[in-house]
Amino acid sequence: FTVQNATIENFSYVAGNNAGTFDLKPISDAAETVQLEAGKLTGQDGNGNSASEVLTFASNRTAPVLTEVTAPPSLTNNPNVSYVFETTKPGTITYGGACTSSTTAAVQGNNTVSFETLADETYNDCTITVTDAFGNASNTLDIPTFEVDTMPPGDFTVELLQDPINLANQDSVSFTISGGEDGARYDYEIFGPSPSGADDGDGFISANLQTIQIGDVSSVSDGTVTLTVTLKDAAGNLTSAVTDTATKDTGIAKPILAFSATGPTNSSALEVTVDFGEPVTLFSAPLDATAFTITNATVQNNAVTDDGNGIYKLVLVPSTADTVTIAVPASAVSDLAGNPNPLSDTASILFDNVAPELALVTPVPTPTMDTTPSFTFSSDEDGTITYGADFCQGDLTDAVDGNNTVTL
């Protein structure tokens, strides 16, 4: 025989069958050929054989070599984990362990396989091998251990610790997170009725009940303040937003005070209306006369009435004939959010319960031929003149402090 890239082993010839057998053992992955040379056999008739056809065999004993290109993330929330490997030869993929895939054919070069949907757990026994068309099995690729976690962090609640948020505490606002998952990241946002001025932040859960300091929220507008919090675990699972609300009220209007009467007046009961613009208290106690600074008067029965909407009324009883004043000092009261009031303007009215004193200075001459005679009198204060007889009316209606001349 003429043989290329192979050797003949286990040759056997059975004369009665006129046939022989042998094994052809390849030397390398190149093609193997074998041919029976002419004249090597002699038949019973003494004739030598002619050369046989050249038989060619394709032999391959080199197995595919697999290398890892991209390992799965050690922790993922994707149940269809992908894996990328490279093979030096195409072939059929065999999966081992808990990982399987519908991808069963590998091409030479890079191959991406997605495992069938995996349950939440840790996988440490997944393998891949490739067998080529000649039956040569590759090395076994051990896929690195990875964990599938598709569950978001556990249930949790949040609570704003300042409610209401007022001028005194708006620079130190905080909230609590109860529950969740240790190590999960929290993201929060706090905003008022207007989106402008919103504040936000983030951090990580380290306790079952955790207090988070937001700090200064003075940029958040007054009104209903909303806190929204989400949690995201290390696998990337995100919770729905959990919210809490509080009322932010950092201002109280300057009180407006007004007397019902106009001055000067001789009324001994002077009603005053005080408009705070919202309900107020003496820092939790009901409003009373001690909230006001009053001169030359006392509060009747020490009573202050309240309409429930921030308008209060009281009656002042003047002490002497002089100016009566009333004002609200700064920080005398607080609104329901705890904000102190600013200093009000002072309301005043002149109380005068003393009648003017008149004196005749120059009487009407009598007898007289003048049909429009004049007389002069003095007054110790300004006022309105009233004449006592219909037939005796003068040309002057207002008197001044001092002498006044009237022509009848």
Side-chain angles (χ1 to χ4, degrees):
F1 297 92
T2 299
V3 180
Q4 291 185 345
N5 195 36
T7 59
I8 292 176
E9 296 181 355
N10 303 321
F11 181 83
S12 174
Y13 177 73
V14 181
N17 293 334
N18 297 324
T21 62
F22 58 86
D23 295 328
L24 194 64
K25 183 176 181 181
I27 295 174
S28 70
D29 284 349
E32 299 89 24
T33 63
V34 60
Q35 182 183 33
L36 178 61
E37 298 177 5
K40 293 298 184 178
L41 300 177
T42 302
Q44 293 179 351
D45 56 6
N47 297 319
N49 68 291
S50 59
S52 70
E53 295 180 0
V54 177
L55 299 179
T56 301
F57 301 91
S59 178
N60 191 321
R61 294 185 299 166
T62 302
V65 177
L66 308 186
T67 54
E68 182 176 273
V69 176
T70 305
S74 59
L75 178 62
T76 179
N77 63 353
N78 181 5
N80 300 108
V81 175
S82 294
Y83 183 68
V84 182
F85 68 93
E86 180 186 13
T87 175
T88 57
K89 298 178 70 177
T92 301
I93 303 174
T94 302
Y95 299 93
C99 300
T100 60
S101 174
S102 59
T103 302
T104 57
V107 299
Q108 183 176 349
N110 286 357
N111 294 264
T112 300
V113 296
S114 293
F115 299 135
E116 301 286 348
T117 301
L118 298 171
D120 283 15
E121 63 178 86
T122 299
Y123 294 86
N124 56 13
D125 62 349
C126 296
T127 63
I128 285 181
T129 58
V130 173
T131 303
D132 66 15
F134 299 97
N136 301 304
S138 71
N139 58 301
T140 299
L141 270 184
D142 292 317
I143 299 173
T145 298
F146 62 91
E147 180 184 355
V148 176
D149 177 6
T150 61
M151 296 297 295
D155 293 338
F156 69 102
T157 58
V158 298
E159 180 184 6
L160 279 164
L161 296 181
Q162 289 74 33
D163 187 11
I165 299 171
N166 57 30
L167 193 63
N169 63 25
Q170 68 172 348
D171 61 350
S172 57
V173 174
S174 58
F175 69 95
T176 60
I177 297 179
S178 178
E181 180 180 305
D182 193 36
R185 168 178 165 156
Y186 62 81
D187 288 90
Y188 72 81
E189 183 179 20
I190 184 169
F191 53 88
S194 170
S196 61
D199 196 5
D200 55 33
D202 58 68
F204 294 91
I205 298 293
S206 59
N208 186 55
L209 179 61
Q210 184 168 343
T211 299
I212 290 91
Q213 295 293 331
I214 297 176
D216 189 355
V217 296
S218 58
S219 61
V220 177
S221 54
D222 279 10
T224 299
V225 172
T226 302
L227 169 73
T228 65
V229 181
T230 59
L231 298 184
K232 181 186 286 187
D233 64 18
N237 299 299
L238 182 66
T239 66
S240 299
V242 174
T243 65
D244 191 28
T245 60
T247 299
K248 185 179 182 210
D249 181 356
T250 57
I252 177 173
K254 182 168 72 172
I256 299 173
L257 296 88
F259 284 93
S260 298
T262 57
T265 179
N266 63 356
S267 173
S268 60
L270 304 175
E271 184 182 67
V272 180
T273 299
V274 185
D275 187 355
F276 286 95
E278 59 181 304
V280 296
T281 67
L282 286 173
F283 294 93
S284 298
L287 191 67
D288 60 27
T290 61
F292 304 95
T293 299
I294 301 169
T295 61
N296 194 39
T298 58
V299 177
Q300 189 177 70
N301 300 323
N302 199 34
V304 179
T305 61
D306 174 11
D307 76 344
N309 295 309
I311 296 178
Y312 298 81
K313 291 186 178 183
L314 61 159
V315 175
L316 298 183
V317 178
S319 301
T320 62
D322 203 347
T323 300
V324 175
T325 66
I326 181 170
V328 181
S331 302
V333 300
S334 68
D335 63 13
L336 300 185
N339 300 299
N341 68 284
L343 174 66
S344 74
D345 293 333
T346 299
S348 62
I349 191 170
L350 177 61
F351 171 68
D352 183 0
N353 65 345
V354 179
E357 291 188 7
L358 307 182
L360 185 63
V361 176
T362 304
V364 176
T366 183
T368 181
M369 297 177 61
D370 189 353
T371 59
T372 57
S374 298
F375 71 94
T376 301
F377 71 93
S378 67
S379 174
D380 64 354
E381 60 181 306
D382 298 342
T384 301
I385 300 175
T386 302
Y387 297 94
D390 291 341
F391 60 84
C392 191
Q393 300 293 312
D395 62 348
L396 196 64
T397 58
D398 294 314
V400 297
D401 183 2
N403 288 347
N404 299 266
T405 299
V406 178
T407 299
L408 301 174

